[in-house]
Amino acid sequence: MTTTYSALSHLECSRTGARHDADVVQGVSDAGVPLLARYDVERAGRTLTRQALAARPATLWRYHEMLPVRAPDRVVSLGEGMTPLLPLPRYGARIGVPGLLMKDEGLVPTGSFKARGAAVGVSRAAELGVTGVAMPTNGNAGAAWATYAARAGLTCLIAMPVDAPAITRTECVATGAELYLVDGLIGDAGRLINAAVRDRTGYQEVSTLKEPYRLEGKKTMGYEIVEQLGWRAPDVILYPTGGGVGIIGIHKALREMQELGWLGPDLPRLVAVQAEGCAPIVEAYREGADVSRPFPDARTVAFGITVPKALGDFLVLDAVRATGGTAVAVSDEALLAEQLLVARDEGTFICPEGAACLAAARQLRESGFIGGADRVVVLNTGTGLKYPETVPVDVPTLPVDGVIPPRR
Ligand SMILES: *Cc1c(COP(=O)(O)O)cnc(C)c1O
């Protein structure tokens, strides 16, 4: 039997369904919207079985039949994937959701789930002959793509807002990317990159959803959640939504697992979580709209979700509505409070974006959307170590001959 490493068949326009060739470098579809990778699921299923998976290495490449890289030796990896799905018993009891679980993406290389998209996106770009990647970023994506570009031997051009987490600059510089800061938002960085790549041969612009394969890397979070729950879907999944790639990817993975015959008709309710300071998807959801309007004066401490207008907004809204989910906004004050509470209850120092999901879980439990017996998965998309400034540290400094006071 000939084995299939990737069962990738073609790319499909997410609006019109038009087919595009998957074996040349592609950006958006003719309609100007994201392209989605499609697979010969029947062929994939011959070797991608739940039994076979049990024996495969604990990286996201274990799902390689449903990933786009054709040649195993083109895989660029730093060991990404199979992050823990942690029970949060104390914190869960505190908010009335004893079945609360957290998928902890703080443990992947570069400390954010952006590594998943970068691993698959960079591998496939290099396989198709791209020699340089260029992108605007709110920080974590740029850091991840810079890191994987270095691993693959590609050059990398990044532009990010001056307000993006400082550590992500350091990561870009350390791994040899060409980095520019812009005194504006991610959209402003995008305009600079778009203009620059036109004059650079061999470069591909890999902005969010402007190439099809980052999504494929991120969808593996969906496969892992279901595999880690013993091939059962949870009742609710909450995701901190900026560009929306993660939630669109999880929805795509769930649909693919239905096609593979691994999941029944009922999918988990998907919840798009945003910050009150940047909630375009939540507004569109409440208005019953299919697309969002640009959110004015976007600002939140959860910097990774500061995306005033996402190219894939209609796909996020579809993921939410098709699964009976919802979209909610939380305040910075609320998410910062949860970040500290969960660190103290569970020993997990999470990023503010992940903490937004906890604030949303609390809110949705209070509203009754989440029931007390529901199995709920929140995505912590990065480690708190990347955002040291979110925790005020007010502690005494003692003189060398000082004494530590009696136990408080
Ligand atoms: C990029 C990012 C997000 C938002 O991700 P999308 O999938 O683009 O919506 C959430 N959290 C963190 C930490 C991020 O870096």
Side-chain angles (χ1 to χ4, degrees):
M1 184 174 80
T2 55
T3 58
T4 306
Y5 192 72
S6 170
L8 178 66
S9 61
H10 64 281
L11 299 171
E12 188 181 284
C13 172
S14 55
R15 181 158 287 144
T16 68
R19 279 176 88 101
H20 291 62
D21 185 354
D23 285 296
V24 293
V25 176
Q26 297 276 17
V28 291
S29 76
D30 298 338
V33 295
L35 284 168
L36 302 176
R38 295 299 182 205
Y39 298 82
D40 181 341
V41 174
E42 210 248 17
R43 202 165 114 221
R46 281 180 221 154
T47 47
L48 185 65
T49 63
R50 287 170 282 186
Q51 294 84 330
L53 275 167
R56 292 188 181 178
T59 75
L60 61 80
W61 300 100
R62 61 203 278 106
Y63 311 107
H64 58 75
E65 289 92 340
M66 296 297 288
L67 290 171
V69 178
R70 295 215 187 269
D73 62 356
R74 301 314 299 250
V75 166
V76 178
S77 178
L78 292 164
E80 54 289 329
M82 270 297 171
T83 52
L85 186 62
L86 302 171
L88 301 180
R90 281 187 215 97
Y91 179 84
R94 181 194 284 282
I95 66 165
V97 188
L100 187 66
L101 297 155
M102 180 172 78
K103 179 83 171 148
D104 192 3
E105 293 291 303
L107 277 83
V108 287
T110 76
S112 90
F113 81 108
K114 293 292 195 307
R116 293 179 186 265
V120 175
V122 165
S123 298
R124 183 66 178 150
E127 185 173 49
L128 291 174
V130 169
T131 56
V133 287
M135 65 157 50
T137 175
N138 273 336
N140 285 329
W145 281 71
T147 301
Y148 281 86
R151 182 80 171 163
L154 304 187
T155 54
C156 185
L157 169 65
I158 304 284
M160 68 170 72
V162 285
D163 291 335
I167 185 66
T168 62
R169 289 182 203 175
T170 310
E171 293 175 86
C172 290
V173 171
T175 54
E178 182 184 347
L179 174 66
Y180 299 93
L181 302 179
V182 52
D183 196 359
L185 291 178
I186 187 167
D188 304 300
R191 275 182 288 281
L192 292 171
I193 291 291
N194 190 269
V197 286
R198 274 184 237 141
D199 302 330
R200 295 193 180 204
T201 45
Y203 270 79
Q204 184 183 12
E205 186 187 337
V206 292
S207 312
T208 305
L209 292 171
K210 287 194 180 171
E211 62 74 50
Y213 301 119
R214 187 202 296 207
L215 178 63
E216 296 306 289
K218 291 189 176 181
K219 82 179 179 187
T220 56
M221 291 187 288
Y223 279 92
E224 288 179 19
I225 289 168
V226 172
E227 183 173 359
Q228 289 171 317
L229 288 175
W231 300 111
R232 286 194 31 212
D235 298 303
V236 181
I237 299 177
L238 294 98
Y239 184 82
T241 305
V245 190
I247 190 167
I248 297 166
I250 290 171
H251 188 219
K252 186 172 190 284
L254 294 167
R255 302 276 295 269
E256 288 172 356
M257 284 186 276
Q258 285 181 321
E259 284 185 64
L260 284 158
W262 299 350
L263 286 181
D266 290 338
L267 293 185
R269 289 171 278 157
L270 298 181
V271 178
V273 178
Q274 299 201 297
E276 283 174 359
C278 184
I281 305 256
V282 177
E283 280 198 345
Y285 176 77
R286 288 192 187 135
E287 291 165 3
D290 294 335
V291 294
S292 61
R293 281 177 283 113
F295 197 89
D297 304 320
R299 184 175 301 275
T300 164
V301 289
F303 204 76
I305 53 175
T306 316
V307 181
K309 167 73 187 166
L311 187 65
D313 53 2
F314 67 103
L315 296 170
V316 176
L317 289 160
D318 178 55
V320 164
R321 292 191 176 120
T323 59
T326 187
V328 290
V330 300
S331 68
D332 279 6
E333 199 184 12
L335 69 89
L336 289 172
E338 304 298 348
Q339 185 191 30
L340 284 186
L341 275 177
V342 76
R344 288 161 192 194
D345 281 348
E346 304 287 355
T348 54
F349 182 25
I350 68 175
C351 67
E353 296 84 353
C357 291
L358 296 176
R362 186 194 287 270
Q363 185 181 311
L364 291 173
R365 179 70 189 96
E366 281 164 8
S367 75
F369 178 92
I370 291 175
D374 280 345
R375 187 131 64 150
V376 178
V377 172
V378 294
L379 269 296
N380 173 44
T381 40
T383 169
L385 297 177
K386 295 195 89 167
Y387 304 76
E389 69 291 344
T390 55
V391 180
V393 178
D394 181 18
V395 297
T397 304
L398 302 176
V400 287
D401 60 352
V403 278
I404 292 176
R407 193 184 154 134
R408 278 184 291 182

